[in-house]
Amino acid sequence: MLKKLSLCILLLSTSVVAQDKAMIGPTAVMSVADTQLSYEARMDTGAVNTSLHAFDLEVEGGSASNMKDNIGKTLHFTTENGSGERQRLSAPIVKTSTVSNSQGRETRYMVNLDIGFHGAERSVMVNLRDRSHMDYKLLIGRNWLKGKYIVDVSEKKLIGPVATISILETGLMFKTRIDTGAVENSLHAVDLKVEAGVDDMEKNVGKMLTFMTENEKGVAHKVKARIVETSLIRNAQGSEIRYMVELNIGEPGSEYKVKVNLRDRSRMSYKLLIGRNWLQGHYLVDVDR
């Protein structure tokens, strides 16, 4: 009886959430009102802010050496969608945003732009960066999604943008970023050693690999797993090849086997990132949770 009551409460709460917020898929065709351009946009619950491809940035009246000193000035920039259509835009700089990644820290200008579905755009702060190496020229972050949408990479249970996730093979719990912008899961791994390994990473597929991982509390564990494939990861800095292994990952008590790529995330806040290959078919992501 108690199980049935709990299930009814869960279904009711999910229904209420669905009534309050619209559902949106992992990608959508959106427009930037001032450009009349259409973009295939990626919904990215791993990103705080929305990000637009921009280049040839020019601060009117000249740029100060300190980017923050340019706040309030007019910024001219060119944007381009996935079809190669371009337009020159101008907007006041409202703030700067510093983004940390594995390559270090990067400061970007932020402007207010009207972004959304054609005819229903709404103003949101957008950071501007060169996304020429990225598949999606417009990335929709939590500041656009919040309070309005649930991101559905398929269907099923709700999960927030951050969750406590277990990896059975490590015996560790990780405070984890749930990132619909990432195709794959990614785990912090250092001291990778392949048994009878060779320089050609592809030729090491099928061999056993040992590595050290560590959660955000600094608790470390040595893991041994078989390399199931390699993954080519592209980002703004170029591309890199990573080993992939299969691990049992999930909310405590609900772990299931899934592929995860291994990389040094020592400079990242989250040592485990959950991507769409774990979410798909299992979870909805609600950035308000």
Side-chain angles (χ1 to χ4, degrees), residues 51-235:
S51 182
L52 179 67
H53 176 42
F55 54 97
D56 291 341
L57 278 65
E58 179 185 358
V59 177
E60 190 172 300
S63 176
S65 56
N66 187 333
M67 292 178 68
K68 285 189 176 181
D69 292 338
N70 293 320
I71 293 174
K73 296 180 181 179
T74 298
L75 178 69
H76 305 284
F77 60 94
T78 301
T79 186
E80 181 181 55
N81 64 14
S83 300
E85 299 170 310
R86 297 183 177 184
Q87 189 158 335
R88 191 76 174 162
L89 290 177
S90 300
I93 300 167
V94 294
K95 66 180 295 186
T96 61
S97 172
T98 300
V99 178
S100 298
N101 54 39
S102 58
Q103 286 73 39
R105 292 163 64 86
E106 174 188 357
T107 301
R108 305 170 186 169
Y109 288 122
M110 297 193 73
V111 300
N112 285 318
L113 294 174
D114 292 329
I115 291 177
F117 297 107
H118 183 67
E121 297 89 351
R122 51 192 171 85
S123 182
V124 66
M125 275 202 296
V126 178
N127 70 51
L128 304 175
R129 58 88 50 93
D130 187 341
R131 298 181 62 85
S132 57
H133 293 89
M134 311 296 280
D135 292 331
Y136 295 91
K137 309 308 179 190
L138 174 60
L139 180 147
I140 299 296
R142 299 196 301 276
N143 66 336
W144 190 90
L145 294 163
K146 191 173 177 66
K148 301 284 186 180
Y149 289 93
I150 291 173
V151 178
D152 181 9
V153 296
S154 65
E155 51 185 348
K156 311 301 182 189
K157 294 187 291 183
L158 290 175
I159 195 169
V162 175
T164 300
I165 298 295
S166 160
I167 301 181
L168 287 182
E169 288 81 358
T170 69
L172 301 178
M173 306 294 293
F174 293 78
K175 184 179 179 182
T176 304
R177 168 62 70 200
I178 308 301
D179 188 353
T180 61
V183 175
E184 302 167 351
N185 310 299
S186 183
L187 175 65
H188 172 56
V190 295
D191 297 331
L192 279 68
K193 295 178 181 177
V194 181
E195 292 183 4
V198 295
D199 291 338
D200 188 340
M201 294 178 68
E202 290 289 342
K203 293 182 179 178
N204 289 327
V205 172
K207 297 179 181 179
M208 297 303 296
L209 168 74
T210 58
F211 62 94
M212 291 295 298
T213 189
E214 181 181 281
N215 64 14
E216 74 283 354
K217 295 180 180 178
V219 183
H221 188 86
K222 189 173 184 178
V223 180
K224 186 173 184 178
R226 189 175 301 279
I227 301 168
V228 293
E229 64 180 272
T230 60
S231 177
L232 176 63
I233 305 296
R234 292 186 175 89
N235 53 38

Side-chain angles (χ1 to χ4, degrees), residues 212-279:
M212 291 295 298
T213 189
E214 181 181 281
N215 64 14
E216 74 283 354
K217 295 180 180 178
V219 183
H221 188 86
K222 189 173 184 178
V223 180
K224 186 173 184 178
R226 189 175 301 279
I227 301 168
V228 293
E229 64 180 272
T230 60
S231 177
L232 176 63
I233 305 296
R234 292 186 175 89
N235 53 38
Q237 287 70 40
S239 61
E240 66 175 295
I241 298 175
R242 303 176 190 168
Y243 288 122
M244 293 193 76
V245 298
E246 287 187 327
L247 299 173
N248 288 282
I249 299 176
E251 293 181 285
S254 300
E255 299 89 348
Y256 51 91
K257 186 169 287 188
V258 66
K259 292 177 183 178
V260 55
N261 70 55
L262 305 175
R263 61 86 52 91
D264 186 344
R265 297 180 63 85
S266 56
R267 300 177 69 178
M268 311 296 281
S269 299
Y270 297 93
K271 308 309 178 189
L272 174 62
L273 181 145
I274 290 294
R276 299 194 301 278
N277 66 332
W278 183 88
L279 293 163

